[in-house]
Amino acid sequence: MKSITNLFRVGPGPSSSHTIAPSCAAKAFKRFLTGNGKVTVTLYGSLAFTGSGHKTDNAIRKALLPFETEFVFRPLDPTEHPLKMVFEYGDIKHIYYSLGGGEIKSPTDPDVNEYEVYPFKDFDSIKKYMNENDISSFKEFCHRFESDDIDDKLMDILKAMFASVEYGVSVEGRVPTNDNPKLKYERCAKSIRDNALSIPEFEAKREMLITSYAYAVAENSASGIDVVTSPTCGSSGVLPGILYFGYKHMGISMETLRDSLFVAGMIGNCVKQNASIAGSVGGCQAEIGTASSMAAAALSFIVDPESIYQLEYAAECAMEHFLGLSCDPVDGYVVIPCIERNGMGALRSYDAFLYAKYISPLRKNQVSFDDVVSAMKITGDSLSDKYKETAQGGLAEILKKTDANC
């Protein structure tokens, strides 16, 4: 497993796999260039299907400046990876794959490949190591493998998450999309938050506040504004929405919230190691499902930091009930259904936390977190490509621009 900081990258939305990673690939390829020629970039699979909606071409073009760029889109060509990019400049050619969450890998440019820091495969092996070495917290566990400045890095990440929430609940305006009238989306996080503050019922107020904070970040991402991948741009509102609620309305300290990122990071690492966090590989279950597991585990840690079983219960519960969720952004824009899913994902995280807190002492869960991750991979592998961020199925198919007047 790689550093948990690799799950929390600060970068522009709307998609870590379609904007941040392609931009990183372009910057890597630029190292090889001299002169003033033209770079040809060929996009395959999901990158080709949704490149315009995700603004993949804009991200690559900007990163390659001042070199001119031309694009070739090959959505239907057979490819060994659904997020494949090929960069060519004269005799220079390199292949890059986007792995989800902004990470890239290359068989021809090995310097971009990120290295492993944790010698573990899954959650059970982590628990075994912690038990054998009398380690009671994920913070202590991670400190054995991460760099010395990991605490400072995670605090910076937390502050960036909160800055994104606070910006998102302070602005209004339209999220940029194409001319599909069904995608005319006006930001609403601010109005949801303002209305929530006046709701008298505690439960409704809590749910609407969490929703507003998750929407705030998701609307930023959809607008191409910097967010923190957690673990992706498409699911970037779930964990910050939960943590910001904890800070503003539960009185949780910044230090405790930072430490919860050790827990969230290891949960996300286990998913990335054994399944995928990319919607184009595993469907939206890989993005919103993973984000909800991370948030539920983080919240369980905040309330009861000593119970590893309880946080695992929360993470498993959150993921289990997103199994099979397809990734079907309308016209390739991370607006419908993505923004609303961030709100629902955050709420389901809170529900999973409640199940873990109140049901786990009464009934032992028969499904481990590793079990549900394995199930998620099997489910993702069996999903049709139409439901893996190609904008060809599900809501994307139903709400696509079909009206001649559109």
Side-chain angles (χ1 to χ4, degrees), residues 52-242:
S52 297
H54 284 93
K55 298 180 173 58
T56 303
D57 48 355
N58 290 349
I60 292 174
R61 187 178 288 110
K62 181 179 179 180
L64 286 173
L65 288 174
F67 294 92
E68 185 181 352
T69 310
E70 68 174 4
F71 290 88
V72 179
F73 296 88
R74 298 193 180 281
L76 300 178
D77 283 14
T79 177
E80 67 278 11
H81 194 281
L83 294 169
K84 177 181 176 181
M85 301 163 273
V86 178
F87 291 73
E88 297 177 86
Y89 182 84
D91 295 332
I92 303 172
K93 177 179 178 180
H94 284 292
I95 300 170
Y96 300 92
Y97 306 121
S98 171
L99 302 184
E103 182 180 352
I104 57 174
K105 182 178 180 179
S106 174
T108 60
D109 182 10
D111 288 343
V112 305
N113 299 336
E114 298 176 1
Y115 60 89
E116 308 281 331
V117 301
Y118 293 97
F120 304 101
K121 180 182 179 182
D122 52 29
F123 197 75
D124 279 346
S125 62
I126 292 170
K127 289 191 298 181
K128 180 180 179 182
Y129 177 88
M130 293 175 68
N131 183 58
E132 291 175 346
N133 290 273
D134 196 26
I135 299 173
S136 60
S137 75
F138 276 88
K139 180 179 181 178
E140 181 184 353
F141 166 77
C142 292
H143 271 237
R144 296 199 175 193
F145 302 96
E146 296 280 356
S147 60
D148 292 339
D149 60 350
I150 183 63
D151 286 5
D152 292 337
K153 287 181 177 178
L154 291 184
M155 182 60 79
D156 289 342
I157 286 166
L158 182 66
K159 290 177 179 178
M161 286 180 174
F162 285 5
S164 184
V165 172
E166 289 170 353
Y167 177 79
V169 294
S170 71
V171 297
E172 298 173 303
R174 179 166 292 180
V175 172
T177 60
N178 60 14
D179 59 351
N180 185 343
K182 296 166 184 173
L183 285 174
K184 289 182 179 179
Y185 184 97
E186 297 287 338
R187 281 177 173 262
C188 58
K190 181 178 184 298
S191 59
I192 295 173
R193 190 278 311 271
D194 292 347
N195 183 64
L197 292 173
S198 65
I199 295 174
E201 299 89 357
F202 171 76
E203 292 83 0
K205 174 180 284 190
R206 180 190 67 210
E207 296 219 346
M208 288 302 98
L209 285 170
I210 292 173
T211 295
S212 72
Y213 301 145
Y215 267 51
V217 180
E219 289 174 353
N220 288 345
S221 178
S223 300
I225 297 169
D226 279 3
V227 295
V228 179
T229 62
S230 44
T232 66
C233 285
S235 60
S236 57
V238 177
L239 181 59
I242 286 291

